[in-house]
Amino acid sequence: MQCSVIVPLLNEQEQLPELTAQLRELQASNSCEIILVDGGSSDNSVTFATAAGLRVIASERGRAAQMNAGAAAARGHWLLFLHADTRLPQGALSSIAAAAVQGAEWGRFDVRICGNSVWFPLIATMINWRSRLSGIATGDQAIFVRRALFERLGGYVRQPLMEDIELSRQLLKVARPFCLHQQITTSGRRWQKFGVLRTVLLMWRLRFDYWRGVPAASLAKRYE
């Protein structure tokens, strides 16, 4: 199984030292393909990543557009979409390979939120159980999918928010996700910046409104 790891970038210089270290290790030890997709960073993200020996391509801004661009440039039979502030657990690619042998079409990891809030373990547990019950995965859970299936579905819908929710909905028409218990670690920076309770309530409301048909463009304005 050859896997292509696709990471959208936009002004992520602060995250890059740790991110590039992990990606270079993956690239060396697993012979996987790493593609960073820059959406027009104004900081030194591109310079840092290329100096670290990683491949960076340019795309129009927008997480969905960037991940689609990365997928179009990828050669792997599996695509793993990784956020810049998320770190994979040891053996992540081996776990995906094992899932593929068991017939998985797509899947995601459990998540752990990194930060100093006492609420983060509870929030992570709720995210993981909600995902397991609903079959819906979020980008923070590092979605992986067979490339042929991703292309057949047309990739990510070009919308400014909830692109991961929409992709999950389409993938669910084909198969349930393979839920890996290994925990990825994602940053709690947004919760800490805007307040844990406020952020949780906002995300619940945005998902409810998206479920009832509010356009993603309108929701994105509220999210920002």
Side-chain angles (χ1 to χ4, degrees), residues 10-14 16 38 40-48:
L10 185 64
N11 297 328
E12 293 288 0
Q13 184 177 350
E14 182 180 339
L16 282 175
D38 184 66
S41 295
S42 57
D43 63 4
N44 291 322
S45 292
V46 173
T47 301
F48 190 100

Side-chain angles (χ1 to χ4, degrees), residues 119-169:
W119 293 103
F120 284 167
L122 175 60
I123 294 171
T125 299
M126 292 173 62
I127 290 172
N128 295 331
W129 274 106
R130 182 191 65 211
S131 176
R132 197 171 297 276
L133 292 172
S134 68
I136 298 294
T138 64
D140 287 336
Q141 292 175 293
I143 295 172
F144 56 90
V145 58
R146 290 185 186 271
R147 178 180 176 177
L149 174 57
F150 182 82
E151 291 177 344
R152 175 153 59 91
L153 295 177
Y156 281 96
V157 175
R158 298 283 290 274
Q159 59 188 46
L161 196 68
M162 305 292 178
E163 75 286 337
D164 47 1
I165 305 299
E166 193 58 40
L167 178 64
S168 294
R169 286 179 173 179

Side-chain angles (χ1 to χ4, degrees), residues 101-120:
V101 170
Q102 296 178 58
E105 293 292 332
W106 71 290
R108 55 60 165 185
F109 292 84
D110 275 354
V111 67
R112 181 178 73 86
I113 303 172
C114 179
N116 56 18
S117 173
V118 296
W119 293 103
F120 284 167

Side-chain angles (χ1 to χ4, degrees), residues 12-65:
E12 293 288 0
Q13 184 177 350
E14 182 180 339
Q15 299 293 327
L16 282 175
E18 188 176 343
L19 174 66
T20 55
Q22 182 179 67
L23 294 179
R24 289 181 66 186
E25 183 179 345
L26 281 175
Q27 190 170 249
S29 62
N30 295 277
S31 300
C32 67
E33 180 182 42
I34 307 293
I35 303 175
L36 280 64
V37 189
D38 184 66
S41 295
S42 57
D43 63 4
N44 291 322
S45 292
V46 173
T47 301
F48 190 100
T50 53
L54 296 175
R55 179 186 180 191
V56 182
I57 66 173
S59 163
E60 69 175 272
R61 180 173 300 191
R63 189 169 278 165

Side-chain angles (χ1 to χ4, degrees), residues 68-81:
N68 283 341
R75 299 187 302 270
H77 298 302
W78 280 84
L79 306 175
L80 169 60
F81 298 98

